[in-house]
Every structure is written in C-alpha cells, then in structure tokens.
Amino acid sequence: MATAIGGTGNARTVTIKHQANITGVANVTITISDGTNTSTYPFRVTVVPTPKYYWGILAGSPAGTAGSTNATGTAASFNAPVGLVRDSQGNLFVSDNANHVIRKVTPQGVVTTFAGTQGAAGFADGTGTAAKFNAPLGMAIDASDNIYVADQSNHRIRKITSAGVVTTVAGSGTAGSANGAAASATFNLPTGIAINSAGDIFVGDRSNYTIRKISGGQVTTLAGLAATAGFVDGIGSAARFNAPGAINLTPAGMLLVRDINNSGAIRQVDPATGAVTTLYTANANMWADGGVDDNGLIYAPLSANTISLISS
C-alpha cells in the first residue's frame, strides 16, 4: 500500500517496495482521487533478479600456458578448451581440442582426463582413456548425464556415458554430406551440437554449411544446402549458412546457431519446420560459443573480449 497526497501542480512519487529475493510479475493499480473525481491507472510490474557476475579461474594456467596436466585448480593445464557442459552433480566436462580428450572438472577444480588418449589424435570407441578423439569441439548433455561430442576431424558424433564409455552415434568417418542411416551417413567437420528432451540431436555441420538432425537412427538435413555457403533466411534448404558452429537450445525448444563466417551471426532455427531467421549479427567472424539461461536470455561474445547479454 502506498499513499501520496498533494495539492494541484505538486508532483508526487509513489514507490512500491517488495520483499527481498522475490521475483515475478504483479498487477498494480494506482487510484488518484480528490474526493469527487477519481482516476485509476492499472499497470504491470516485473521484478527480475539482479545478475551477479564473478570472474575467477576454476582450473587452468593463470598465464594461459598450454598443457595437459591433471591437477587441481591453477596447477592444471589445457590446450584449446572449447566445448563445455555441466552434469547433474555440478561437474564440468571440457572438450580439450588440441589434446584430443574430454576433461572433467569437479566443483572443487580437480581436473582429470575423462575420455580419450592425451595428445593422441585418432578414432577408437572404448572406455575412458582407451577411447580416441580427433579435435573434439562442441558438446551437449542429456538428462541422464550422457555427453554427446562433435568429433570434428573424425567427422563423427560420439556419445560418452556417465561411466566414461564412448560409442559412435553417427558418421562413417569419411567427410561428406550423405543423409540416411546413422552409421553410413557422413558429416564434414561437425562443430556444434545440441540435444532436446526427446533425444533428437542437432549438429552444426560446419564445412557442409548445414544443420543436421539425428533422430531414430537416421540423419537428415534440417536447414541449409550442402556445399552452398551464403547468408539467407528461409525454410529448410532455402536457407543458407556459412560455417555454422556452436548450437544452443532455448527453453522454448528453438536452436540458436553461431554462424561463424557470417560475422558470427546468431541464427534461430525452428527444429519443427527448419525455418531460419537471423536474431543478431556480431562485429566480426566469431568462433566463440555462448549460452542461453533458463529464462531464455542469450549470453554471447559479439565483439572481442566481451560477453554481451541479449534479451530473449
């Protein structure tokens, strides 16, 4: 309840205070009356939490020195870490691209090699360090803590269980753009990856300039035209990309694609129709990934050395 009283021509300010740590939307009505004449003004108030950002090194060399050391915090080292996912226990998993492995970082900053053979590019399914990757990039994680990896230079999509068992989901290992059964389909430097609650996997197939879909053991092209680069919004094969990279899934189920060679544009793809629209164009070609929070807010590098918050 707020009351403001004053004579004609005297401005008054009504301040509405809410309980600390409360967020949401409320309907508010202000009534102004002089005892005879009454005016009512309804409006809506949205209260959102104030973002708090913290900068610090959880793991890795403070000097930015490349390496492959498993250790705790700043005693550990990486070599071109790219993809990042978090499991239900709060552990982070990192695609350590130039080390050809997937690293695990606990909430306490303890770094270990989760899957892959340190420093040895190759292809092998297996458990833990018996498996091999070749320049892994984007990653996604499902509700059961299975991790999906865009194994870039193997032209394959790999799966890692919570126990570290690595298998191949799709891709024959030969660069190409063939759709069909997952094992015989081909990719060309797959870079970004996302998975929805139905288990459908979406891939930014960078050198094919397309967005691919893996569902029910079949690979299809959702948007873009193989071997045809461009910058065109449209539906399905009428759309054009130029090196699509990282993919994020919004709370509404839309795909956000980082279109690297189109000035790092953020493109939205409807997974149901393949309709592509451009949401934002950055200032330069940007490889860097971004993210989407539970409220649909987009966090993305739009220029060098900054992270920008873009509305939903």
Side-chain angles (χ1 to χ4, degrees):
M1 178 68 72
T3 304
I5 301 174
T8 301
N10 293 329
R12 291 293 182 265
T13 299
V14 176
T15 301
I16 301 171
K17 293 185 178 181
H18 64 88
Q19 184 178 342
N21 301 318
I22 297 296
T23 62
V25 179
N27 294 315
V28 177
T29 300
I30 290 183
T31 300
I32 300 175
S33 174
D34 62 4
T36 302
N37 303 301
T38 301
S39 297
T40 301
Y41 301 92
F43 59 97
R44 291 168 67 82
V45 173
T46 300
V47 179
V48 297
T50 301
K52 293 181 175 63
Y53 305 102
Y54 302 93
W55 174 258
I57 298 174
L58 174 64
S61 163
T65 303
S68 60
T69 303
N70 286 324
T72 299
T74 55
S77 57
F78 300 85
N79 194 351
V82 183
L84 184 72
V85 293
R86 183 177 62 187
D87 71 8
S88 60
Q89 306 303 308
N91 299 299
L92 299 177
F93 295 86
V94 182
S95 55
D96 198 2
N97 179 265
N99 279 326
H100 309 292
V101 292
I102 308 302
R103 313 283 290 279
K104 177 181 178 180
V105 186
T106 69
Q108 295 74 37
V110 178
V111 179
T112 55
T113 300
F114 185 62
T117 305
Q118 279 282 10
F123 169 71
D125 287 338
T127 301
T129 56
K132 288 187 178 181
F133 297 87
N134 194 348
L137 282 174
M139 297 197 297
I141 193 165
D142 67 17
S144 299
D145 287 341
N146 296 302
I147 299 169
Y148 299 82
V149 181
D151 194 2
Q152 176 191 221
S153 294
N154 276 325
H155 311 293
R156 290 178 167 103
I157 305 304
R158 316 287 292 281
K159 175 183 176 180
I160 314 173
T161 69
S162 58
V165 179
V166 179
T167 55
T168 299
V169 174
S172 68
T174 301
S177 59
N179 290 320
S184 58
T186 54
F187 298 84
N188 194 349
L189 299 179
T191 301
I193 188 168
I195 184 168
N196 64 16
S197 58
D200 299 322
I201 300 170
F202 302 92
V203 179
D205 200 3
R206 188 175 88 231
S207 291
N208 276 328
Y209 313 113
T210 55
I211 307 302
R212 312 287 291 282
K213 178 180 178 180
I214 308 169
S215 181
Q218 297 289 314
V219 178
T220 56
T221 299
L222 177 65
L225 186 64
T228 308
F231 193 3
V232 180
D233 288 345
I235 298 176
S237 60
R240 296 288 183 273
F241 297 88
N242 195 348
I247 297 182
N248 287 285
L249 194 66
T250 73
M254 293 293 181
L255 303 172
L256 297 182
V257 179
R258 193 62 180 249
D259 201 0
I260 298 166
N261 288 342
N262 279 326
S263 297
I266 298 173
R267 316 284 296 280
Q268 177 176 278
V269 183
D270 186 334
T273 65
V276 178
T277 53
T278 299
L279 298 185
Y280 201 93
T281 302
N283 297 324
N285 293 356
M286 298 287 291
W287 280 78
D289 198 352
V292 183
D293 68 17
D294 291 341
N295 296 314
L297 300 174
I298 304 167
Y299 299 81
L302 300 181
S303 60
N305 305 316
T306 61
I307 300 295
S308 299
L309 171 61
I310 310 171
S311 76
S312 57

